């Protein structure tokens, strides 16, 4: 075994437990193991983070943009690289560039961008998330209603073809515009199907879970709520152990008390995991931008249309973890897991992402004990940041 790097720190959290005064051994972009610092002397390269902490890299399954670029306005591998680099500065080591509802032409360009990013091996690129355009008009949120439409056979074929030839893809759909048979076909092809932007009843959505949908997109936001006589998508997702659910933890999209109740209520093994739903403001000082020709204003941690509708989030993953720890009151280890092992599990990548274990991808974040970002490593390489 040729170990090329030993990266040491005061504490290493492997996703399950802490290792004090230890070193992470890495070769060929994968983790060999975690050993006591004294046992890492034979490594050909040594990096020591002294008093800092190492934790698993964050996996973000819903990222609309970053570094001033929204995926959709630009779709090239270079654009994806800019977005991934912006989020890497906040600890994200794998993400899904997410295209919100758009025209068939832009959707096709987004699929091409995913193909190019994969071919070029863009660091941090895991696959694509198509959020729409097959959503519910009633629960459109900031999605442009003129682009919302039923899923056609051609739409279905394009997603399945991407999955077969070009890798991982997740799609958010609403039962209002996608049939059970189409969901069954997507699931059979290995596309991860998430229910969102929908007003479906719990009974309806249960039939979509039976057909192979395994996820719910930004739990509570843009969906039928948990009511006394109608449990809605929220109730169905919490009660069904097969289902995972993304959650935006910015304190604006969902109240901290509601988050606490949902975490206690979620039936396992399905889990709630964090997404940022971040827009292109992350890593920039932008005060606003245009979304499909409509003005979006950035103010006090939120992004809104003129009418006040939330349009994505203005939060990074590290800030989401701090929020879950400091405001919602979760143990730090749990908050980190909701951003690493939980999303990895939600997309079936928990055999190689989300933990720092032998044979896992060497994706990790270096944090100060105050939870400030220090450094990010992706695929065993130090991902230099400009700060
Ligand atoms: Zn959404």
């Amino acid at each position: 075994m040729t170990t090329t790097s030993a990266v040491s720190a005061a504490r290493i959290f492997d996703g399950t437990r802490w290792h004090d005064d230890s070193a992470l051994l890495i070769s060929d972009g994968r983790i060999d193991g975690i050993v006591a610092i004294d046992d890492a002397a034979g490594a050909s390269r040594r990096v020591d983070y002294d008093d800092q902490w190492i934790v698993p890299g964050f996996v973000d399954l819903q990222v609309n943009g970053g570094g001033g670029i929204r995926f959709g306005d630009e779709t090239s591998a270079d654009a994806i690289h800019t977005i991934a680099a912006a989020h890497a500065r906040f600890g994200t080591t794998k993400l899904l560039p997410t295209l919100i509802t758009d025209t068939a032409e832009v959707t096709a360009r987004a699929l091409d961008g995913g193909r190019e990013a994969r071919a070029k091996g863009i660091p941090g690129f895991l696959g694509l998330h198509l959020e729409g355009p097959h959503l519910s008009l009633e629960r459109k949120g900031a999605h442009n209603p003129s682009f919302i439409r039923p899923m056609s056979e051609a739409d279905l074929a394009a997603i399945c073809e991407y999955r077969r030839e070009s890798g991982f893809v997740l799609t958010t759909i609403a039962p209002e515009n996608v049939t059970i048979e189409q969901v069954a076909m997507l699931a059979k092809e290995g596309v991860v199907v998430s229910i969102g932007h929908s007003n479906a009843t719990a009974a309806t959505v249960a039939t979509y879970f039976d057909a192979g949908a395994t996820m719910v997109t930004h739990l509570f936001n843009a969906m039928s709520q948990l009511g006394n006589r109608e449990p809605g998508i929220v109730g169905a997702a919490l009660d069904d152990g097969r289902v995972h659910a993304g959650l935006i933890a910015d304190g604006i999209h969902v109240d901290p008390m509601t988050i606490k109740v949902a975490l206690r209520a979620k039936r396992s093994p399905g889990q709630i995991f964090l997404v940022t739903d971040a827009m292109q403001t992350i890593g920039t000082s932008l005060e606003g931008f245009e979304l499909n020709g409509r003005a979006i204003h950035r103010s006090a941690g939120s992004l809104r249309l003129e009418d006040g509708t939330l349009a994505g989030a203005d939060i990074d993953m590290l800030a989401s973890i701090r929020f879950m720890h400091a405001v919602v009151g979760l143990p730090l280890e749990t908050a980190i897991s909701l951003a690493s092992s939980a999303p990895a599990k939600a997309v079936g990548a928990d055999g190689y992402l989300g933990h720092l274990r032998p044979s896992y991808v060497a994706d990790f974040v270096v944090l100060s004990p105050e939870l400030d970002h220090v450094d990010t490593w992706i695929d065993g390489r130090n991902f230099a940041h400009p700060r």
Side-chain angles (χ1 to χ4, degrees):
M1 187 172 66
T2 318
T3 291
T4 55
S5 301
V7 184
S8 53
R11 305 188 80 196
I12 299 176
F13 179 57
D14 66 10
T16 305
R17 69 182 187 90
W18 291 94
H19 305 252
D20 290 337
D21 298 318
S22 295
L24 202 53
L25 302 182
I26 302 162
S27 59
D28 298 328
R30 297 271 173 162
I31 293 165
D32 288 334
I34 297 174
V35 299
I37 285 182
D38 294 343
D39 294 335
S44 52
R45 181 180 176 220
R46 299 200 51 177
V47 180
D48 186 9
Y49 285 103
D50 300 314
D51 299 335
Q52 320 288 10
W53 298 352
I54 290 174
V55 306
F58 311 146
V59 178
D60 194 342
L61 304 182
Q62 192 165 1
V63 179
N64 304 290
I69 292 178
R70 186 182 70 85
F71 188 60
D73 293 336
E74 294 183 44
T75 53
S76 66
D78 283 350
I80 291 171
H81 189 267
T82 299
I83 293 167
H87 285 271
R89 291 198 287 277
F90 302 99
T92 296
T93 52
K94 289 287 178 289
L95 55 74
L96 301 180
T98 301
L99 181 72
I100 66 163
T101 294
D102 215 312
T103 62
E105 292 71 33
V106 172
T107 304
R109 280 210 294 275
L111 293 173
D112 285 342
R115 291 186 181 99
E116 191 192 346
R118 188 184 190 216
K120 289 187 171 175
I122 299 297
F125 175 74
L126 179 62
L128 291 181
H129 181 167
L130 302 177
E131 190 190 15
H134 317 299
L135 306 177
S136 150
L137 279 170
E138 276 178 298
R139 293 287 186 175
K140 65 184 186 306
H143 291 238
N144 190 329
S146 63
F147 298 148
I148 290 176
R149 58 189 172 81
M151 181 178 279
S152 67
E153 288 308 303
D155 296 323
L156 177 69
I159 300 174
C160 291
E161 185 192 338
Y162 183 91
R163 178 68 187 102
R164 279 195 296 271
E165 298 171 4
S166 309
F168 183 82
V169 60
L170 183 161
T171 186
T172 295
I173 59 101
E176 288 92 326
N177 266 323
V178 179
T179 67
I180 288 178
E181 292 72 26
Q182 287 173 323
V183 166
M185 178 62 76
L186 290 165
K188 187 169 149 251
E189 293 282 350
V191 176
V192 175
V193 179
S194 188
I195 306 291
H197 287 272
S198 168
N199 215 24
T201 62
T204 295
V205 86
T207 63
Y208 280 71
F209 295 152
D210 289 343
T214 55
M215 195 184 286
V216 161
T217 296
H218 46 52
L219 185 68
F220 291 108
N221 297 113
M223 65 176 57
S224 44
Q225 300 295 299
L226 175 62
N228 55 340
R229 295 195 177 87
E230 169 48 56
I233 295 174
V234 171
L238 293 174
D239 193 51
D240 194 323
R242 297 171 296 180
V243 175
H244 301 267
L247 180 86
I248 304 170
D250 63 354
I252 294 167
H253 280 76
V254 188
D255 187 273
M257 186 189 290
T258 304
I259 294 176
K260 282 185 224 183
V261 171
L263 287 168
R264 285 200 298 271
K266 180 71 189 97
R267 189 191 295 268
S268 61
Q271 280 183 281
I272 289 173
F273 59 90
L274 303 184
V275 295
T276 60
D277 200 14
M279 283 290 191
Q280 60 263 53
T281 49
I282 294 306
T284 76
S285 56
L286 285 172
E287 291 179 358
F289 56 91
E290 278 207 351
L291 180 63
N292 307 122
R294 298 164 301 163
I296 306 290
H297 302 282
R298 183 187 204 184
S299 168
S302 73
L303 303 170
R304 296 177 191 272
L305 291 168
E306 293 283 0
D307 68 3
T309 302
L310 288 168
D314 189 21
I315 193 164
D316 59 78
M317 195 56 102
L318 182 54
S320 304
I321 289 168
R322 284 197 212 105
F323 174 83
M324 294 298 280
H325 179 47
V327 181
V328 177
L330 295 186
L332 179 63
E333 297 81 359
T334 307
I336 290 170
S337 296
L338 293 187
S340 48
S341 58
K345 186 173 161 191
V347 294
D350 50 330
Y352 58 97
L353 295 177
H355 281 88
L356 303 179
R357 290 176 178 154
S359 87
Y360 274 56
V361 175
D363 282 357
F364 56 92
V365 190
V366 186
L367 302 175
S368 74
E370 296 76 34
L371 303 186
D372 291 318
H373 178 258
V374 175
D375 217 341
T376 299
W377 288 57
I378 297 179
D379 302 327
R381 291 214 188 104
N382 190 332
F383 197 89
H385 57 77
R387 285 188 295 173

